[in-house]
Amino acid sequence: MLIIRQAQLDVLGEQRMREFEDRALAHLQRWMPRHSRLLGPAPMLRLVRRGLARARHHGLHAECTVLGYLDLMCLLGSGFDADPLLPWAAEILNEPRRADPVPRGDRLYDAAWQYIDRIVPDYRDAGGVPVTERLVRLLRQVRALPREPLAEAELADFADTLAALLAGYFPAKLAVVGRPAARAALQAACRRARGHGLHGRRGAALVALLAFVLGHGFDDDPLLPWVPAILQADADEATRVDRLFATGAETLRRWWDLEAAPAAP
């Protein structure tokens, strides 16, 4: 079993690191082809490097566990290990570390697929056909919210409103994570929006709902490079929020096109 440790990387140098990165990119091209086709090599390489660092931080040094960790980043968002809506991930990752990391990596992978199986009705119909236009409908509804500032005292009620809205679009995920956890995460995400200079109801709702759907840390995710680019742009709040709506919808459209296209041989 190949083990990746810092001392080995230091000794073996950049060549061995590039060899691992090439294997990881080939793995993702095979098992996560739409991510690779949508994003291209540079963002996927950033994902690989971040995934290696995060997996090693959690004591997952075996190459197979690192590759599995990369898969879960694609499926759950790059920040899944700190996502308050995925507490089972942190529980497994924080288990006492033993010499062999593979069993813990296997438990993490199995738990992730059990979770995905439970929320899949939000994303595919009974015949397995994607219903990904659901997020665009949600975005359109959120876009109609007022731009007026959201006060701290209003956050709890606003989070309740967002949770009720999500119940009509992502009922399976809301049922799995539970309303109390969802409300707490939505409220925290609204506060996080303020850190990006988004103080209005529309911007706060957009950040909160994208965090719920795309995963904790979506605003710093190599799989979503357009998000930090827009949030950090030198533009006023209204312009940046409008760009988030437009670019999000366009990204989803491109994803659906890849869903409909036949897989490359």
Side-chain angles (χ1 to χ4, degrees):
M1 176 177 66
L2 179 60
I3 301 293
I4 304 169
R5 300 189 188 282
Q6 186 60 52
Q8 291 173 304
L9 294 178
D10 292 341
V11 172
L12 296 173
E14 294 183 1
Q15 180 59 37
R16 289 295 299 274
M17 186 63 175
R18 285 196 296 269
E19 290 173 358
F20 165 74
E21 290 172 350
D22 288 344
R23 290 194 300 273
L25 288 171
H27 169 87
L28 292 173
Q29 286 169 358
R30 178 180 180 186
W31 297 108
M32 302 291 161
R34 292 184 178 89
H35 293 79
S36 299
R37 290 164 63 190
L38 181 65
L39 291 170
M44 295 304 288
L45 181 58
R46 287 195 291 273
L47 176 78
V48 166
R49 289 173 176 170
R50 180 177 296 188
L52 173 60
R54 294 306 300 164
R56 291 177 62 244
H57 171 77
H58 292 300
L60 301 177
H61 299 291
E63 183 165 323
C64 61
T65 64
V66 175
L67 296 179
Y69 195 94
L70 291 172
D71 291 345
L72 297 187
M73 291 174 76
C74 289
L75 294 168
L76 304 174
S78 293
F80 79 91
D81 57 338
D83 195 324
L85 298 180
L86 307 175
W88 47 266
E91 289 173 6
I92 295 172
L93 289 168
N94 291 330
E95 288 177 359
R97 300 179 186 182
R98 297 177 175 84
D100 185 355
V102 175
R104 191 158 51 97
D106 288 344
R107 286 195 297 278
L108 179 67
Y109 209 78
D110 290 344
W113 277 106
Q114 290 174 22
Y115 165 78
I116 290 169
D117 286 343
R118 294 177 67 189
I119 69 168
V120 77
D122 286 343
Y123 300 92
R124 295 183 182 272
D125 63 21
V129 177
V131 289
T132 43
E133 77 280 358
R134 186 172 295 180
L135 180 53
V136 165
R137 296 201 307 270
L138 176 60
L139 290 177
R140 287 171 179 162
Q141 188 165 349
V142 172
R143 195 167 191 172
L145 290 174
R147 301 173 187 257
E148 64 187 33
L150 178 65
E152 176 69 25
E154 299 176 290
L155 280 179
D157 288 343
F158 192 65
D160 283 339
T161 299
L162 295 180
L165 182 61
L166 283 167
Y169 290 94
F170 294 91
K173 180 169 183 176
L174 190 61
V176 170
V177 303
R179 285 219 179 200
R183 285 194 297 266
L186 291 166
Q187 192 168 339
C190 287
R191 289 194 179 96
R192 190 170 182 172
R194 295 176 180 176
H196 295 298
L198 305 181
H199 300 280
R201 290 172 174 270
R202 196 160 65 111
L206 178 59
V207 168
L209 295 177
L210 288 178
F212 180 89
V213 177
L214 300 179
H216 177 79
F218 83 98
D219 50 349
D220 183 33
D221 192 331
L223 292 168
L224 304 167
W226 51 275
V227 175
I230 293 172
L231 290 174
Q232 297 166 19
D234 185 14
D236 60 33
E237 176 175 349
T239 299
R240 287 183 292 133
V241 171
D242 285 341
R243 287 176 183 169
L244 278 178
F245 278 115
T247 308
E250 172 61 18
T251 301
L252 288 170
R253 184 195 63 76
R254 292 172 59 201
W255 179 264
W256 297 335
D257 288 346
L258 291 174
E259 282 272 7

